[in-house]
Amino acid sequence: SPGIAAMYRSIVALGLAGTAAAFAPSAGLPGSVRRAAAVEGPKMAVFGGSFSDSVPFLKQPTNLDGSLPGDVGFDPLGFSEVFDVKVLREAELKHGRIAMLAVLGWIVQESAPASIHPGFPTLPPIEAHDVLVKSGGMSQILLWTSFLEIFGGIALFQTIQGKRYPGDFQFDPLGLSQGKNEAKFEQYQLAEIKHSRLAMLAFSGFCHQYFATKQGVFEQLGNFQSLQGAAGPFVGDKVLGQIF
């Protein structure tokens, strides 16, 4: 009917008008109002405080002020917010020094164990560990290590009390902290903590690659073989079964 047709035309006209209004420029506002709106626009959320140099998207830990050698603000798990930083540095140095000795021992056991003692068998380090356990050699290592832990505990209390620098046992047979080397002592401290961290990662890599491939470090470097049954060195369902 004519009435219905007129109603449809009115609805279409209103719809077109609304669509045009959506793309039309807004009504003019005073300049001060427009500038205020621009200033108050949405901004990216920025947390207070500085960010870590080592992990730029995480905040700088409050207790890591860069006073210790090798401190680059790396603490994604927040250990420095719970434990004393001096205790953490003591533990890091102790484990790092043991790891450096362990890496050296691993390489010697793989390459030339007889150069240390003619009675040492030429075995992969993991198997050599089991031999030492059966022969009693590992018990001696555990005994002497226990004595060192006792003295280390006493030294740790002195560190907590502020009477001792973390990891300082006054052991310097080469005189690296004396005489003309005294000015470079901080460089030696930085080198030690860097090598300690690298050795901890390296020894863990040595162990895991042997469990996964049954190859030693030098053998893997000279004759790399991917894991059996896998499309690549770390791909395939059988990999987990071989490792675990």
Side-chain angles (χ1 to χ4, degrees), residues 32-227:
S32 59
V33 176
R34 288 199 298 269
R35 286 193 295 271
V39 172
E40 298 299 328
K43 299 179 180 179
M44 181 181 295
V46 178
F47 299 99
S50 59
F51 286 82
S52 171
D53 292 334
S54 57
V55 190
F57 55 86
L58 294 180
K59 286 188 62 177
Q60 171 73 21
T62 56
N63 293 329
L64 297 182
D65 55 3
S67 58
L68 292 174
D71 177 9
V72 292
F74 181 79
D75 185 19
L77 299 180
F79 287 125
S80 62
E81 304 295 331
V82 180
F83 303 100
D84 191 335
V85 175
K86 296 188 293 293
V87 175
L88 296 176
R89 174 51 59 94
E90 182 85 21
E92 185 178 26
L93 282 172
K94 181 172 70 173
H95 288 85
R97 290 164 178 170
I98 293 174
M100 286 189 284
L101 292 174
V103 167
L104 177 61
W106 185 292
I107 293 175
V108 171
Q109 176 61 39
E110 270 197 8
S111 56
S115 62
I116 304 299
H117 191 279
F120 286 175
T122 303
L123 293 171
I126 298 297
E127 298 179 16
H129 170 272
D130 298 336
V131 172
L132 285 175
V133 171
K134 295 178 180 179
S135 64
M138 194 61 66
S139 300
Q140 298 179 31
I141 296 176
L142 181 61
L143 176 64
W144 291 109
T145 303
S146 300
F147 281 111
L148 293 177
E149 285 291 338
I150 294 175
F151 290 108
I154 298 174
L156 180 60
F157 281 111
Q158 294 178 346
T159 300
I160 296 175
Q161 295 172 355
K163 300 178 181 179
R164 171 180 169 271
Y165 188 84
D168 184 7
F169 288 95
Q170 299 296 318
F171 180 77
D172 186 17
L174 299 180
L176 297 179
S177 62
Q178 304 171 4
K180 62 180 181 180
N181 294 323
E182 187 174 359
K184 298 182 179 180
F185 186 56
E186 291 186 3
Q187 297 180 12
Y188 296 142
Q189 288 179 312
L190 179 60
E192 182 184 31
I193 194 64
K194 285 186 174 182
H195 286 85
S196 295
R197 293 165 178 169
L198 179 60
M200 287 187 280
L201 293 174
F203 186 76
S204 177
F206 288 177
C207 293
H208 285 81
Q209 68 88 22
Y210 180 80
F211 288 139
T213 65
K214 301 302 180 184
Q215 289 181 298
V217 177
F218 295 109
E219 182 183 3
Q220 177 133 123
L221 289 175
N223 183 25
F224 176 78
Q225 296 179 2
S226 61
L227 298 179

